[in-house]
């Protein structure tokens, strides 16, 4: 078994199951069981985080991009203010077979509070860069009419 592939798969599985990689450092039994199953050592947690988390994130973004590419999506976002902002962005859509789908696009914390314009710019750049969505993809935007017009303007301007 290729050590690189085994480590990548293990990090991907832990992230999918919301198991922090730090558990490998604080729970030796977990590490032993995983290494026995992988027939390989896992290496240092900070190396796993630095080398494999970005790869898993890129793979997930590509998967989500392919999933929503041809869909008419709505974007829901929520931002809470407490010592900065925590912002969650979710794509929602209904498939041709009438199955409602939602995918988390971002969960980001900011050191300082973001005003409406800054938040719109963040969401526009996220949709354009990470998920390659273009003007017209956002057929329904959950928010006020003013926000919809501003977001559509930002998407046009950033292209």
């Amino acid at each position: 078994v290729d050590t690189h592939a085994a480590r990548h798969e293990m990090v991907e599985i832990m992230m999918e199951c919301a198991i922090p990689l730090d558990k490998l450092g604080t729970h030796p039994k977990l590490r032993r069981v995983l290494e026995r199953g992988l027939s390989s050592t896992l290496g240092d947690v900070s190396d796993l985080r630095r080398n494999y988390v970005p790869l898993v994130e890129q793979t997930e973004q590509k998967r989500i991009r392919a999933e929503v590419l041809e869909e008419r999506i709505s974007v829901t976002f929520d931002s809470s203010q407490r010592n900065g902002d925590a912002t969650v962005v979710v794509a929602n859509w209904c498939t041709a077979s009438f199955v409602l789908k939602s995918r988390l696009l971002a969960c980001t914390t900011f050191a300082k509070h973001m005003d409406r314009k800054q938040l719109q710019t963040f969401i526009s750049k996220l949709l354009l860069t990470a998920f390659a969505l273009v003007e017209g993809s956002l057929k329904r935007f959950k928010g006020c009419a003013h926000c919809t017009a501003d977001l559509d303007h930002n998407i046009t301007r950033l292209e």
Side-chain angles (χ1 to χ4, degrees):
V1 176
D2 177 28
T3 301
H4 175 70
R7 288 178 179 173
H8 182 271
E9 183 179 27
M10 189 275 312
V11 169
E12 185 175 38
I13 290 167
M14 289 187 71
M15 289 177 69
E16 285 176 5
C17 296
I19 302 171
L21 292 177
D22 290 337
K23 296 275 185 192
L24 296 173
T26 59
H27 292 78
K29 287 182 182 179
L30 176 61
R31 177 181 278 274
R32 281 196 302 274
V33 167
L34 290 172
E35 287 179 342
R36 190 176 335 124
L38 295 172
S39 302
S40 176
T41 61
L42 293 174
D44 184 61
V45 173
S46 61
D47 289 337
L48 292 173
R49 192 176 292 115
R50 180 177 52 253
N51 295 325
Y52 298 100
V53 170
L55 295 175
V56 172
E57 185 178 26
Q58 288 172 1
T59 302
E60 185 65 10
Q61 283 182 344
K62 286 178 186 174
R63 188 183 67 74
I64 292 171
R65 187 181 304 127
E67 195 173 16
V68 302
L69 187 63
E70 298 299 320
E71 301 293 341
R72 292 181 174 193
I73 67 169
S74 69
V75 175
T76 306
F77 67 92
D78 189 20
S79 185
S80 66
Q81 304 166 10
R82 180 173 271 171
N83 298 330
D85 280 355
T87 301
V88 174
V89 182
V90 178
N92 307 287
W93 71 95
C94 182
T95 66
S97 56
F98 299 101
V99 176
L100 297 177
K101 298 274 192 158
S102 292
R103 292 293 177 262
L104 176 68
L105 302 182
C107 181
T108 308
T109 57
F110 300 97
K112 295 181 180 179
H113 171 66
M114 293 175 48
D115 64 21
R116 184 175 55 89
K117 284 288 190 194
Q118 291 168 321
L119 188 58
Q120 289 169 350
T121 299
F122 164 74
I123 293 171
S124 297
K125 286 181 180 177
L126 171 77
L127 296 175
L128 286 170
T129 58
F131 297 97
L133 299 177
V134 296
E135 183 178 12
S137 296
L138 301 174
K139 298 299 182 192
R140 222 174 29 135
F141 184 75
K142 291 187 178 179
C144 65
H146 183 68
C147 293
T148 307
D150 285 348
L151 184 61
D152 212 29
H153 172 71
N154 283 341
I155 289 175
T156 303
R157 189 171 42 85
L158 289 170
E159 287 183 317

